[in-house]
């Protein structure tokens, strides 16, 4: 649970993670990268990595 404001004992922040891939759903699946692996893991489909 995240707490902010005066009730937080030690408030902290962190930067957003970098964007590792961009494209349409179909482009990202075809690339076989991080997006395709995440999609496959969610829907239990094997992914053949490219490049």
């Amino acid at each position: 649970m995240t707490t902010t404001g005066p009730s937080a004992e030690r408030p902290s922040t962190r930067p957003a993670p970098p964007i590792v891939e961009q494209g349409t759903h179909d482009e990202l699946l075809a690339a076989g990268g991080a997006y395709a692996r995440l999609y496959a893991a969610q829907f239990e489909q094997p992914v053949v990595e490219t490049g």
Side-chain angles (χ1 to χ4, degrees):
M1 180 168 95
T2 302
T3 304
T4 58
S7 63
E9 189 173 313
R10 290 187 58 141
S12 62
T13 61
R14 64 184 183 98
I19 296 172
V20 295
E21 296 179 314
Q22 284 186 315
T24 66
H25 172 76
D26 290 336
E27 290 169 344
L28 293 169
L29 287 181
Y35 179 89
R37 288 191 301 275
L38 178 59
Y39 184 83
Q42 288 180 329
F43 298 102
E44 299 182 28
Q45 299 172 359
V47 172
V48 176
E49 291 197 28
T50 60

